[in-house]
Amino acid sequence: MDPDRDDAGRLRRGDTSGLAGLMARHQDRLFRYLRRLLGDEAVAEDTFQQTWVQVAERIGRYDARRPFGPWLFAVARNLALDHLRRRRPESLDEGDEPMAAMGAEGDPLERAMESQRRARVAESVAGLAPLDREVLSLRFEEELALPQLALTLGVPVPTAKARLYRALSRLRERLLAAAPAEEWR
Amino acid sequence: MSGHVTSLLPLAAAGALDPGEAFRVEAHLRECVVCRAEAAAWRDVAGELGRLPAPKPSRALVARTVEAVEERLAERAERAWNRAALGFLVAFAWTLAVLSWVVVDLVNGVLALRLERSVGSSAAWYAAYLGAGWLSAGAAAVLLGRRAREEGRIA
């Protein structure tokens, strides 16, 4: 039995224990995705909350024959893109100025080199355009295969592949600009 | 040596090549040191992407979210109940209106018999009854309209 399907069924009947199950399984992935796509903690939190409210309201539209994850991410994605369009209607395809790296963990004195390198990658990712951050997050953090990635983005597989290629190329350009001496030459 | 496969290497590192492309890249890397170095650099980038710090939702955020969802579900359940109750009441009112003709006619006949004189036509009594009914229904419609507008603002 698919636990997502069972919990979605409970939520459809108004039983909030279904929501608890769905959240327990998907909340971390969803928040990471929103944080990456939106690039802002507070906005990601608002969108996270709105996403679950919409999930509860629209659970009747969820087709239980399909996996829950992509549907959840599609709901979140629509909300996030709406927000980004309102904030910066000209383009979702242009990068920001690099932002502070997110939550680098551990003692920076211990693993200094590794932390520095990781922070540089995080900064470079944060400086990418929202759609570039999104595709990288879905592929490398959510580990979606190309067909699932395309499904989540709502585009054909070749388009998803092209976006992935473009995002990686832009990321490497930024990494090289930030630290030309490192090994991603 | 065949042509370089530089343009395929980012997607190779991302595991996003189709089998034909992957085969071509593998074959080329076996004999090309330049592309092997380039592939290693892309693998580094891909590896770092998989190890980025993972932000998690705070407990407070999760609690706020559950509360917001429960509130919304409660509102939805209340609206559904109200709609069902109002639907029942409207149906009940119409049923009463239809049945009341029989009752008015009967009462009118009994009164006329008791008083041994005419008390007016049943149709007139029924028209008065219906008039009162329509006034009540009008007031109810105004109240319902207000409620619907309020619900529209909530939703």
Side-chain angles (χ1 to χ4, degrees):
Chain A
M1 286 295 274
D2 178 3
D4 281 349
R5 197 171 301 163
D6 294 345
D7 284 332
R10 282 193 199 96
L11 186 57
R12 193 175 282 138
R13 293 189 295 274
D15 177 354
T16 48
S17 70
L19 175 76
L22 291 170
M23 282 187 77
R25 278 188 297 281
H26 297 281
Q27 65 186 23
D28 289 354
R29 296 174 56 220
L30 179 68
F31 187 73
R32 182 171 53 192
Y33 166 72
L34 287 172
R35 180 68 182 80
R36 214 64 85 193
L37 173 57
L38 290 160
D40 180 278
E41 181 89 16
V43 177
E45 288 192 354
D46 283 351
T47 312
F48 176 84
Q49 187 167 325
Q50 285 173 34
T51 300
W52 286 108
V53 169
Q54 277 214 359
V55 162
E57 283 191 325
R58 300 182 177 186
I59 193 71
R61 300 185 200 173
Y62 162 60
D63 179 355
R65 288 168 301 181
R66 294 169 181 270
F68 178 75
W71 184 75
L72 170 70
F73 273 62
V75 172
R77 184 172 195 266
N78 285 338
L79 288 168
L81 294 187
D82 282 349
H83 170 84
L84 290 171
R85 284 191 196 102
R86 279 197 304 275
R87 192 189 67 176
R88 199 176 48 178
E90 66 276 13
S91 176
L92 300 176
D93 206 18
E94 289 169 11
D96 295 325
E97 287 305 305
M99 295 179 290
M102 286 189 298
E105 289 166 359
D107 183 354
L109 293 173
E110 291 173 5
R111 302 186 299 164
M113 291 296 287
E114 196 183 334
S115 295
Q116 195 177 23
R117 183 183 162 92
R118 197 150 296 163
R120 198 169 290 130
V121 175
E123 270 179 35
S124 299
V125 170
L128 290 172
L131 294 184
D132 289 341
R133 293 198 299 262
E134 178 186 37
V135 75
L136 293 178
S137 174
L138 289 173
R139 177 64 196 104
F140 293 99
E141 294 182 311
E142 305 315 322
E143 299 180 339
L144 297 187
L146 212 48
Q148 282 78 44
L149 181 65
L151 189 70
T152 304
L153 296 178
V155 296
V157 169
T159 307
K161 204 167 167 178
R163 280 196 195 173
L164 184 58
Y165 177 82
R166 190 182 54 193
L168 281 166
S169 302
R170 286 176 174 170
L171 173 63
R172 195 164 175 220
E173 275 170 27
R174 279 181 171 265
L175 288 169
L176 286 171
E182 289 208 25
E183 55 269 38
W184 32 62
R185 269 167 293 156
Chain B
M1 186 188 300
S2 57
H4 292 303
V5 290
T6 321
S7 64
L8 291 175
L9 295 177
L11 292 174
L17 292 180
D18 62 47
E21 290 170 329
F23 180 78
R24 196 178 133 210
V25 167
E26 273 173 34
H28 181 79
L29 291 184
R30 275 197 291 273
E31 55 189 47
C32 178
V33 72
V34 176
C35 285
R36 261 207 305 275
E38 179 74 358
W42 277 114
R43 275 198 302 275
D44 277 350
V45 172
E48 289 297 339
L49 282 171
R51 289 190 291 270
L52 284 176
K56 288 190 172 185
S58 64
R59 281 186 186 181
L61 172 62
V62 172
R64 279 202 310 276
T65 303
V66 170
E67 201 177 308
V69 171
E70 284 175 347
E71 225 169 76
R72 192 59 66 89
L73 287 177
E75 273 172 19
R76 199 175 62 172
E78 191 188 336
R79 279 204 298 270
W81 193 91
N82 283 345
R83 270 197 298 272
L86 287 169
F88 171 78
L89 287 175
V90 167
F92 184 65
W94 277 104
T95 309
L96 276 186
V98 171
L99 290 179
S100 62
W101 166 251
V102 180
V103 177
V104 167
D105 201 33
L106 191 68
V107 169
N108 206 30
V110 170
L111 270 178
L113 210 61
R114 288 264 171 89
L115 299 173
E116 291 179 347
R117 64 187 178 86
S118 169
V119 290
S121 77
S122 296
W125 282 105
Y126 189 64
Y129 174 83
L130 269 192
W134 278 112
L135 279 176
S136 308
V142 169
L143 289 174
L144 281 175
R146 268 191 205 158
R147 186 181 183 87
R149 275 198 299 277
E150 280 170 14
E151 282 182 356
R153 272 201 296 277
I154 292 166

